[in-house]
């Protein structure tokens, strides 16, 4: 996956550089979760845009291709304009640094000439309730906690309906394995939303506003991060993922073939399926191989 | 004779032996030396080699099988010691007495060749789920108070085992917690199917505990778990919300993220091995309970029977399952347990052997 997505910003104590764009934020929203705080904000961004027109000297028999493109030579750069647009930014940091973040917001965002009331700040997540007082003290604003599930589906629905290539399917044996979906005219609802944070909530999304929590599990990202921190020397979530990529879980997990010597045909379980996660770990607990922690990491991700 | 049933699982091999007690003096005189040796070896010991154990408290006396009366003995040893068992069977000349042994579990397939070559015995391989159900039916009909439930599972003082009449069982769900977990829906006599399962089972509990605490056996892991506090390890709803999460009826004491505090170095410093063992036990148990509950709901079944050697000497897990099933289903589901834990597959095989003899 590493080569397919932009690396998230490195945060340790949130260096000020990371939050630079926050200075121009017009709307800020926090989702203060169990392990991570997610910050989303809109800011006005200026960027240059080049305008091109067709070169009057182009050969007249050149036709645009199927995508309505013509060759480079057919265009001349006419002028450049400075444009202002809205940009949506996303930042993650560990919730334990919430105070540093609030200090930054106070100094750099709240302190501007635009009045405090013009600032739109919203918050959701468990922490919006837990840190309500802190936010009030630091920013001088009374935040009422937005319902986290309503925010979740509003956000999901907004992105799914408006952003191209937001949703994708993963097919292990396809090339490329990622197939991106465009917003389509197909009905969006109902869909099952599985929110994998520190813990997991599974929700049936019926409409823009209607949602029902129908299940969940306490074995989520927090469990992977927690167990990974106990079993390996990795310093952080990203390092755990890197380790997991290198590991071979089959040395730690007990597979069907380890029990049956092959597949369990009667009920259609192939030999490679995991029968018991960490099932071999009891015997290899005394294994001092340097690769053990990598193998364990992979075992846990599955 | 001898009459055996074997269930060779991922972690443990279970052996059930029928010792005839209605032996007439004539029969005794004619008894082949080999058979006598085996009988004496099995019944006069409670431990075999370095890790074989006979569960004496589970012994069943006066069992009637194929016109004979006898005692059923329940023996187990780690599958990792299978080689030693094969050596022993060879040494005791088992092949001179029987030409096949009824066996189930993955090991019946995995070790078939070894039995053929070393012990010169053929293994009659039987399906583990079929044997499990067959074994449960036989024992429940034969052993008084085999089936029970826990009354007041969350109250230390009042909690106790209460017998449950399982004579009209259908439909019921069997949750077999061995190295891994299989969930079987039993609709009526002969009508059953594996409907779900999970790889997070007893093997996971033991494996993770060994890695996290340095312990070596299941008993050690359970002992540690009994003394630990999982709340220091797991992140609860109240740790995230500062209280209950009312909108979804999630009270503050519910676990939101298992091991959720362990990403933080400060928290890691305050927990001990016992806490980690407890959290592992609670996590695995609750996950199984959750899947069992959802499966029961999907199939319209309200009796869930938990079996398997994960529950051996493990009242914490049993009570947790009992409590969780009742709590999350608002009293609609009943968690049931059986005294003979993980021995049903082997018993099923013994029954199959008797059927073949007729």
């Amino acid at each position: 996956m590493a080569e397919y997505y932009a690396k998230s910003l490195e945060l340790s104590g949130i260096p000020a550089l990371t939050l630079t764009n926050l200075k121009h934020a017009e709307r800020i929203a926090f989702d203060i979760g169990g392990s991570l705080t997610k910050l989303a904000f809109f800011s006005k961004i200026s960027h240059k845009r080049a305008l091109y027109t067709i070169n009057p000297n182009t050969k007249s028999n050149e036709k645009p291709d199927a995508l309505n493109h013509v060759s480079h030579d057919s265009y001349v750069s006419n002028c450049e304009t400075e444009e202002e647009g809205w940009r949506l930014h996303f930042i993650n940091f560990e919730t334990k640094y919430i105070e540093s973040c609030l200090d930054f917001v106070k100094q750099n965002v709240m302190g501007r000439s635009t009045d405090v009331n013009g600032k739109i700040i919203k918050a959701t997540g468990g922490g919006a309730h837990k840190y309500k007082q802190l936010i009030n003290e630091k920013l001088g604003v009374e935040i009422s906690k937005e319902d986290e599930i309503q925010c979740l589906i509003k956000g999901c629905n907004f992105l799914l309906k408006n952003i191209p290539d937001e949703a994708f399917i993963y097919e292990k044996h396809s090339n490329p394995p990622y197939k991106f979906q465009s917003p389509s005219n197909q009905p969006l609802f109902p869909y099952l939303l599985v929110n994998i944070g520190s813990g997991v909530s599974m929700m049936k999304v019926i409409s823009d506003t209607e949602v029902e929590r129908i299940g969940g599990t306490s074995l989520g990202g927090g469990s992977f991060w927690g167990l990974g921190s106990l079993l390996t020397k990795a310093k952080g979530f990203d390092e755990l993922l890197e380790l997991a990529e290198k590991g071979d879980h089959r040395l730690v997990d007990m597979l069907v073939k380890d029990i049956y010597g092959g597949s369990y045909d009667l009920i259609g379980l192939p030999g490679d399926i995991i029968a018991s996660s960490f099932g071999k770990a009891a015997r290899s607990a005394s294994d001092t191989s340097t690769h053990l922690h990598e193998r364990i990491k992979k075992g846990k991700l599955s | 004779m001898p009459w055996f049933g074997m269930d060779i699982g991922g972690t443990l091999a279970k052996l059930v032996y029928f010792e005839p007690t209605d032996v007439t003096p004539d029969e005794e005189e004619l008894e082949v030396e080999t058979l006598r040796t085996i009988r004496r070896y099995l019944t006069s010991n409670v431990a075999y080699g370095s890790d074989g154990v006979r569960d004496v408290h589970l012994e069943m006396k006066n069992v009637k099988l194929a016109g004979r009366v006898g005692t059923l003995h329940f023996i187990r040893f780690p599958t990792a010691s299978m080689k030693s068992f094969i050596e022993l069977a060879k040494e005791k000349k088992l092949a001179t007495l029987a030409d096949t042994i009824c066996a189930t579990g993955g090991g019946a397939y995995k070790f078939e060749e070894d039995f053929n070559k070393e012990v010169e015995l053929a293994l009659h391989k039987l399906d583990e789920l079929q044997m499990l159900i067959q074994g449960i039916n036989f024992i429940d009909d034969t052993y008084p108070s085999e089936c029970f439930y826990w009354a007041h599972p969350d109250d230390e003082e009042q909690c106790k085992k209460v017998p449950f009449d399982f004579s009209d069982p259908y439909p019921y769900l069997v949750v077999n917690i061995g190295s891994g977990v299989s969930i079987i829906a039993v609709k009526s006599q002969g009508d059953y199917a594996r409907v779900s399962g999970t790889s997070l089972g007893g093997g996971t509990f033991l494996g993770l505990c060994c890695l996290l605490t340095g312990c070596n056996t299941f008993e050690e892991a359970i002992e540690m778990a009994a003394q630990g506090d999982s709340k220091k390890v797991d992140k609860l709803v109240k740790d995230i919300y500062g209280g209950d999460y009312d909108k979804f009826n999630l009270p503050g004491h519910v676990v939101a993220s298992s091991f959720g505090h362990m990403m933080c170095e400060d928290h890691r410093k305050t927990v001990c091995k016992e806490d980690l063992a407890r959290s592992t036990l609670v996590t695995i148990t609750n996950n199984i309970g959750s899947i069992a509950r959802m499966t029961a709901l999907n199939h319209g079944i309200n009796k869930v029977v938990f079996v398997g050697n994960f529950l051996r000497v493990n009242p914490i897990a049993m009570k947790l399952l009992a409590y969780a099933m009742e709590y999350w289903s608002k009293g609609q589901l009943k968690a049931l347990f059986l005294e003979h834990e993980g021995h049903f597959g082997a018993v099923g095989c013994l029954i199959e052997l008797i059927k073949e003899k007729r």
Side-chain angles (χ1 to χ4, degrees):
Chain A
M1 182 83 185
E3 62 270 29
Y4 296 103
Y5 69 90
K7 272 200 149 76
S8 56
L9 295 167
E10 204 68 63
L11 279 154
S12 50
I14 324 178
L17 191 64
T18 305
L19 296 174
T20 297
N21 280 322
L22 195 53
K23 291 182 192 166
H24 308 288
E26 298 289 334
R27 285 177 188 233
I28 304 171
F30 291 89
D31 174 0
I32 312 174
S35 312
L36 295 177
T37 291
K38 285 73 69 180
L39 191 54
F41 58 96
F42 265 119
S43 62
K44 274 218 179 79
I45 293 289
S46 296
H47 57 267
K48 290 199 167 85
R49 188 201 268 254
L51 287 172
Y52 289 87
T53 51
I54 299 282
N55 185 345
N57 299 328
T58 320
K59 298 189 192 96
S60 55
N61 59 3
E62 177 161 8
K63 292 203 174 68
D65 66 16
L67 292 170
N68 217 24
H69 292 163
V70 290
S71 66
H72 266 262
D73 292 342
S74 314
Y75 287 107
V76 285
S77 171
N78 216 345
C79 62
E80 272 184 357
T81 59
E82 182 108 356
E83 274 195 2
E84 261 195 350
W86 288 102
R87 184 173 286 181
L88 188 52
H89 301 259
F90 303 94
I91 297 184
N92 277 345
F93 56 87
E94 289 183 48
T95 299
K96 66 186 187 194
Y97 297 122
I98 186 80
E99 204 161 338
S100 310
C101 177
L102 291 172
D103 284 333
F104 183 92
V105 172
K106 180 186 172 152
Q107 281 159 26
N108 295 282
V109 183
M110 308 303 283
R112 287 195 284 144
S113 55
T114 333
D115 66 286
V116 168
N117 291 331
K119 227 21 94 261
I120 300 174
I121 301 187
K122 299 273 183 185
T124 186
H129 180 66
K130 189 174 177 190
Y131 296 105
K132 188 183 164 110
Q133 190 117 338
L134 185 68
I135 296 172
N136 194 353
E137 277 166 27
K138 298 276 178 181
L139 305 183
V141 289
E142 183 79 32
I143 301 229
S144 60
K145 178 185 174 262
E146 303 297 324
D147 178 73
E148 100 172 50
I149 303 302
Q150 287 298 324
C151 289
L152 173 62
I153 59 169
K154 257 192 192 142
C156 266
N157 292 340
F158 171 79
L159 293 171
L160 285 170
K161 284 183 191 164
N162 295 289
I163 310 293
D165 297 346
E166 176 65 27
F168 60 93
I169 294 175
Y170 174 73
E171 275 165 17
K172 192 172 182 176
H173 301 292
S174 291
N175 187 14
Y178 298 94
K179 289 199 164 77
F180 294 89
Q181 320 280 297
S182 308
S184 69
N185 294 323
Q186 299 297 327
L188 186 56
F189 307 108
Y191 66 88
L192 186 72
L193 185 61
V194 181
N195 191 22
I196 313 173
S198 306
V200 182
S201 272
M202 298 179 202
M203 290 157 291
K204 179 178 175 185
V205 186
I206 303 160
S207 73
D208 270 321
T209 49
E210 250 185 292
V211 66
E212 211 186 303
R213 184 181 189 273
I214 54 176
T217 169
S218 67
L219 284 164
S223 314
F224 167 66
W225 196 351
L227 269 176
S229 306
L230 287 166
L231 295 170
T232 73
K233 297 188 177 65
K235 295 178 189 51
F237 190 80
D238 291 341
E239 201 183 321
L240 282 174
L241 286 180
E242 277 171 41
L243 275 181
E245 239 166 295
K246 292 190 266 178
D248 183 357
H249 73 97
R250 296 169 304 181
L251 300 163
V252 179
D253 294 334
M254 192 184 280
L255 309 179
V256 167
K257 70 182 177 200
D258 293 320
I259 305 178
Y260 274 78
S263 57
Y264 180 3
D265 291 319
L266 210 73
I267 56 173
L269 286 179
D272 284 326
I273 294 256
I274 302 174
S276 177
S277 299
F278 285 92
K280 286 183 182 147
R283 263 171 271 154
S284 58
S286 50
D287 186 334
T288 50
S289 152
T290 52
H291 292 296
L292 182 64
H293 68 295
E294 286 166 8
R295 294 191 234 144
I296 289 169
K297 273 328 314 89
K298 200 66 186 281
K300 233 174 13 51
L301 257 189
S302 50
Chain B
M1 288 284 157
W3 292 347
F4 281 122
M6 262 199 103
D7 175 1
I8 312 171
T11 306
L12 292 175
K14 284 75 70 180
L15 185 69
V16 66
Y17 167 62
F18 177 78
E19 177 207 1
T21 49
D22 57 353
V23 181
T24 60
D26 284 340
E27 202 183 336
E28 182 134 20
E29 226 182 282
L30 291 168
E31 191 182 28
V32 178
E33 180 64 37
T34 320
L35 183 59
R36 187 175 15 243
T37 311
I38 289 175
R39 179 165 56 81
R40 287 206 180 134
Y41 177 69
L42 289 175
T43 58
S44 56
N45 289 307
V46 293
Y48 312 96
S50 58
D51 45 23
V53 174
R54 178 159 64 95
D55 284 322
V56 183
H57 65 288
L58 292 179
E59 200 171 276
M60 284 168 64
K61 294 191 156 71
N62 295 318
V63 175
K64 294 185 181 49
L65 267 183
R68 303 296 305 258
V69 180
T71 304
L72 276 186
H73 296 282
F74 298 90
I75 296 161
R76 59 184 157 82
F77 58 90
T79 301
S81 300
M82 190 46 102
K83 234 179 159 178
S84 310
F85 177 78
I86 288 177
E87 282 300 312
L88 189 67
K90 191 174 174 179
E91 186 200 305
K92 302 279 181 212
K93 304 200 184 94
L94 193 56
T96 60
L97 298 169
D99 45 28
T100 59
I101 280 201
C102 284
T104 189
Y109 294 76
K110 188 174 176 187
F111 298 105
E112 183 178 23
E113 218 178 289
D114 294 317
F115 268 93
N116 289 342
K117 263 182 24 203
E118 304 294 324
V119 191
E120 287 167 49
L121 259 183
L123 284 188
H124 183 181
K125 303 189 294 290
L126 296 152
D127 175 58
E128 69 174 85
L129 302 182
Q130 187 188 3
M131 293 303 105
L132 171 66
I133 305 295
Q134 188 157 264
I136 289 177
N137 287 339
F138 176 78
I139 302 263
D140 188 59
D141 284 341
T142 315
Y143 193 73
S145 309
E146 172 70 19
C147 185
F148 65 93
Y149 67 94
W150 288 95
H152 311 291
D154 55 333
D155 186 342
E156 271 300 314
E157 310 270 303
Q158 291 195 60
C159 185
K160 60 177 178 156
K161 270 160 97 157
V162 179
F164 184 86
D165 180 1
F166 205 51
S167 49
D168 180 23
Y170 306 110
Y172 64 96
L173 215 64
V174 178
V175 180
N176 187 22
I177 316 174
S179 308
V181 182
S182 276
I183 302 184
I184 304 134
V186 188
K187 302 244 166 81
S188 67
Q189 174 98 302
D191 182 9
Y192 62 88
R194 183 185 190 274
V195 292
S196 190
T198 169
S199 67
L200 291 167
T204 313
F205 165 66
L206 184 57
L208 267 179
C209 266
C210 290
L211 287 172
L212 292 170
T213 69
C215 71
N216 289 307
T217 68
F218 181 73
E219 288 78 4
E220 274 172 52
I222 295 287
E223 172 93 35
M224 280 200 218
Q227 293 160 32
D229 179 8
S230 60
K231 291 190 286 297
K232 290 198 211 155
V233 180
D234 298 332
K235 200 170 260 179
L236 310 180
V237 167
K238 69 181 180 206
D239 294 326
I240 302 177
Y241 283 80
D244 300 335
Y245 184 9
D246 292 316
K247 176 149 210 238
F248 288 137
N249 293 317
L250 290 172
H253 64 82
V254 163
V255 179
S257 178
S258 296
F259 293 95
H261 280 315
M262 297 291 93
M263 59 192 72
C264 182
E265 202 176 337
D266 293 337
H267 274 107
R268 287 203 294 277
K269 291 193 182 127
T270 68
V271 301
C272 58
K273 290 181 187 174
E274 287 75 10
D275 298 330
L276 293 175
R278 182 58 168 251
S279 184
T280 309
L281 183 61
V282 166
T283 302
I284 299 292
T285 306
N286 278 334
N287 188 55
I288 294 170
S290 177
I291 294 173
R293 188 176 57 85
M294 286 189 263
T295 310
L297 209 68
N298 280 346
H299 287 84
I301 295 175
N302 63 5
K303 288 195 287 287
V304 186
V305 185
F306 293 94
V307 297
N309 279 317
F310 171 67
L311 298 175
R312 189 179 69 82
V313 299
N314 197 354
I316 300 175
M318 283 196 276
K319 291 174 191 174
L320 248 176
L321 285 169
Y323 175 70
M325 296 297 278
E326 184 161 328
Y327 179 83
W328 292 105
S329 72
K330 298 194 191 14
Q332 296 301 303
L333 291 177
K334 196 137 191 104
L336 299 170
F337 304 90
L338 300 176
E339 293 287 356
H340 285 82
E341 294 148 355
H343 290 285
F344 299 103
V347 171
C349 283
L350 177 65
I351 301 306
E352 199 66 23
L353 177 72
I354 303 300
K355 277 194 210 166
E356 282 167 16
K357 290 215 171 290
R358 290 221 183 109

